[in-house]
Amino acid sequence: MVTRYEDSAQLQQFADRIRFHSIKAMHASRGGHVGGVLSLCELMAVLYGSVMNYDPADPDSPDRDKVVLSKGHCGPALYSALALSGFFPQEELTTLNRNGGRLPSHCDMNKTPGIDMTTGSLGQGASTAAGMALGKKMKKRKGNIFLILGDGELNEGQVWEMAMFAKHHQLDNLIVFVDWNHQQLDGYTSDICRLDNIEGMFSAFGFEAVTVNGHDVDAIRIAVKNVLSDKNGIPKCIVLDTVKGKGWSLTEGKTGIHHIAITDEMMEEAKQEFAEKGVVIE
Amino acid sequence: MKEYATDMRTAMADTLTELCRNDERILWLDSDLMASSGMNKFRSAFPERTINCGIQEANMLGVAAGLSEEGFFPFVHSFAAFASRRIADQIFVSGIYAKQNICIVGSDPGISAGPNGGTHISLEDIGILRSLPGTIILEPCDPVQLKSVLRQIPQRTGVFYLRLMRKSKDQFYPDGTEFPIGKASLIRQGSDITIITCGTVCIKEALKAAEALEEKGIHARVIDMFTIKPLDQAAVLQAASETKAVITLENHNIFNGLGSAVAEVLAENRCSVPFRRLGAPDRAGEVGTADYLMSKFSMDAQAVLAAAAELLP
């Protein structure tokens, strides 16, 4: 049975739990892509806690919604959402990157229950998601493909090949999220390969695009419900204005946090901080 | 040599159209090369199963992987150079690593793209695909073999790479001959020397060389290794034990292609048979006709005869 959080405070609590478990998982592997993982937690909460149609007991249902996390290095956020939604035991989250384990830092559909597409080479999830969306249409299946791109990932030309393709094939079952956390590995996107107006870029490619606060669960939920109710033959893009490293005082808004080590001391601080937010520290 | 009723690309279009009638999974994806691939004929029969992606090979391969995930078996096409070199990482991550089913058709392989020059000549595509795990690499030499191979592909799983000499009508085998994937085809029997090769242009040159050798009293065996990976090791070892020398001939460079695959088998089985790889040296292609380039890159009958003279006592 899928848990649904209709109350915004509960949904934010779910996001905080995803955030804490992501940190815990990355601590177990001595570090990880902390910045981009933490900027995704509200989106994960809204997808798995509110808007998506899925059933962990029936992963092969042809009509269910699917997620392609094209910024595949942020697997831990998705793994936490999946574990907390019943796809696999929560205890397994601390096996991140372990030899022979099922949770590699980059998403692998053939290893992890609930992962819908293998990703990790940036830009490629865009195309596989478009293919899945087209396949669903060709087979007259219900369900949507939720594609999650990083803002740095928009440097990849393949994303824009996909954008032209999605528009041409009228993939209104493809919902693209851009995690606009303003930074990429080496620094601010504005200093490396300037993007400026992401919403405008997708609009120019023929998408219906909006920008919302990516840490406001209500804003994300309303935006998703709006695009899902509007099946007009136009692919959709929701730009999530986010903060890299969000929700953990050690990382929020900092630079140089794309991939960091998490020491035992940092983990103890995180436990205290998240306990104060009401997260049950297991 | 006989000429088939159609060229290779028409044989492909006819076979896939026929397969499509009974297999709802089959799709054709092209990269603005429908006119080149000859698949407009297929599109007329199955417009809803044809997706012309435009000039975007990387996206095409990814879309194919997504379609495979939804239960389809996509065939995707571009010129061999772009179907391999340009999208190697998409083939690996979205196709192979994600365990999807895709057949990549690379047309005008090797020197057959000669009039388009060095940018379009793929002398390294087999090498790229051969080093990617689990791939099946095929180069049929005539429409009969192509049809047999195409019918087997959707019965299997994984990522396939098929080199297609799209405009050739040369026919080497009787109509209806079947060619199990993974098993070499003995195209000419011989007991003195073996030429292992594949694909239209090289089979033709190998047979030409074999006839010239016959006039000198040398009986040359010609093995059509149309499945380059996985290689029919037994056929290689049998040739090494039954004949006095082995030559490989390929429309590719000599790195990690057919010649390398045969050399690996010989070396690891302690076969000290005199051996020579023929194919392009360590350089890029250049503009020119097929005859000119085959001669320049030591891929023609003359090169085989020269190698045979050196190898045989």
Side-chain angles (χ1 to χ4, degrees), chain A residues 66 108 121 124 127 141 158, chain B residues 59 70 89-90 94 97:
Chain A
K66 293 182 177 178
D108 186 333
S121 182
Q124 293 197 30
S127 302
R141 287 174 176 164
Q158 191 172 345
Chain B
N59 184 53
E70 291 298 315
D89 190 48
Q90 283 79 11
S94 298
Y97 191 64

Side-chain angles (χ1 to χ4, degrees), chain B residues 226-238:
Chain B
F226 69 93
T227 310
I228 299 159
K229 184 183 170 189
L231 193 78
D232 184 348
Q233 300 199 21
V236 173
L237 295 176
Q238 193 181 352

